[in-house]
Amino acid sequence: MEENGGSDAGSNAHWWWAFAGAAQLGWGIASFRRGFIGDSSNMPLKAFAVASLFVGAAASSTIASLKASGIHKVEDVMEVGARIRSGLGIRSRAQDK
């Protein structure tokens, strides 16, 4: 189950991240459509809360897409970047070691 040494709960962990992103997006849209209710002094706090729901939904969806594509570590992202650069014919970058 943990072949690459990650803390992944299983091969279907991306579904939990996708569900979390969808739930946050739905909650954010519902809060946005409901509009401002209550005292005007609480308006900045409520606006920040709704914006945080949208940012959280974007982050959760990004994690879900990374996990679904098999990217679990930073080294995996670096490998994908190297493949893209070599596919475009760009020389590999010098490593600082």
Side-chain angles (χ1 to χ4, degrees):
M1 191 179 298
E2 294 185 23
E3 297 168 346
N4 59 2
S7 61
D8 209 8
S11 61
N12 293 326
H14 61 278
W15 289 111
W16 289 107
W17 285 99
F19 175 73
Q24 287 176 333
L25 183 63
W27 191 9
I29 290 172
S31 297
F32 180 75
R33 292 191 71 182
R34 187 175 6 169
F36 176 71
I37 300 172
D39 188 18
S40 63
S41 64
N42 293 333
M43 188 174 156
L45 177 64
K46 291 180 181 183
F48 179 76
V50 171
S52 296
L53 285 171
F54 286 117
V55 170
S60 297
S61 299
T62 302
I63 296 295
S65 65
L66 288 174
K67 287 194 174 290
S69 64
I71 297 175
H72 301 288
K73 298 182 288 186
V74 174
E75 290 81 16
D76 296 337
V77 175
M78 292 172 60
E79 183 179 323
V80 169
R83 282 192 210 148
I84 291 171
R85 282 192 300 274
S86 66
L88 293 173
I90 301 172
R91 287 185 285 152
S92 61
R93 297 169 21 173
Q95 299 292 323
D96 295 331
K97 289 187 179 184

